[in-house]
Amino acid sequence: MNGTSESLTESPLDGERAALRRVRRWLGAFVVCLVLSGLTAFPLETETRWLADFAAGPAAPLTDHLPALREWTERIRDGIADTNTRYPFLAYGTDWLAFAHLVIAAAFWGPIKDPVRNVWVIRWAVLACAGILPLALICGPLRGIPLYWRFVDMSFGIIGVVPLLVVLHALRPLERPARTAAVAG
């Protein structure tokens, strides 16, 4: 029967359940990335030391061709270490950055539980990802951030928006019945 018997036995409810599982997996991956991003904002001095060591060691064949990248990683390492030695209270700002990532991740509990009802959180996150681009383009030059590093920063918004757009696309067919039920009820 060329595979049509499978489609006859699958109910619309099965399709909705599969779509919800897919949405929850994408949202779960997004939350994990937010949490990891937040947690990595705490040990910046250690991480930048590792990054500079990596650029000068195992990555040296690459960074030898990109000396500006190696210089930048060393400048970041030295700047954070010097700042932490002389003005440790400034690291409190990155502690708050980490906390903000964790709080934003916690806000996704609602969309994971009921993505249709809480679709506004997902739409808000799309706007937040889009906001990374002008922030990097405007504030980056003001803070002396090299253009190539601003592209790295902007990539977080571009990469972050992908799972959110996949989720919004998967939610479209599920939103229609919910809206119809809300109007009828």
Side-chain angles (χ1 to χ4, degrees):
M1 278 189 108
N2 71 7
T4 56
S5 63
E6 286 181 17
S7 62
L8 292 176
T9 60
E10 185 179 306
S11 74
L13 192 56
D14 291 335
E16 287 181 17
R17 286 184 184 135
L20 284 173
R21 277 193 305 275
R22 189 169 51 255
V23 162
R24 288 181 175 125
R25 275 196 307 270
W26 279 102
L27 289 174
F30 185 79
V31 166
V32 166
C33 290
L34 271 172
V35 168
L36 290 174
S37 182
L39 293 177
T40 61
F42 285 115
L44 286 181
E45 186 172 352
T46 301
E47 292 168 341
T48 55
R49 186 176 58 248
W50 289 345
L51 181 63
D53 291 347
F54 181 74
L62 174 64
T63 57
D64 286 346
H65 296 293
L66 302 166
L69 181 60
R70 183 193 258 165
E71 290 168 15
W72 179 246
T73 60
E74 291 169 356
R75 184 173 182 204
I76 293 169
R77 176 202 59 207
D78 296 345
I80 290 175
D82 186 44
T83 301
N84 284 349
T85 299
R86 297 176 65 201
Y87 311 103
F89 56 88
L90 289 176
Y92 193 51
T94 56
D95 295 340
W96 280 104
L97 171 69
F99 177 73
H101 277 79
L102 300 175
V103 169
I104 293 167
F108 276 86
W109 174 250
I112 289 172
K113 186 175 178 188
D114 187 346
V116 174
R117 176 180 280 174
N118 295 293
V119 70
W120 68 271
V121 175
I122 301 161
R123 290 184 180 126
W124 168 82
V126 168
L127 292 174
C129 286
I132 291 171
L133 304 177
L135 179 76
L137 290 172
I138 294 167
C139 295
L142 296 174
R143 305 290 186 215
I145 307 299
L147 181 62
Y148 60 84
W149 198 262
R150 284 181 261 154
F151 284 122
V152 170
D153 291 338
M154 289 185 286
S155 74
F156 284 92
I158 294 166
I159 293 168
V161 79
V162 170
L164 298 172
L165 293 176
V166 169
V167 164
L168 288 175
H169 180 72
L171 286 176
R172 279 189 193 134
L174 301 175
E175 284 183 288
R176 288 185 197 111
R179 266 188 258 134
T180 304
V183 170

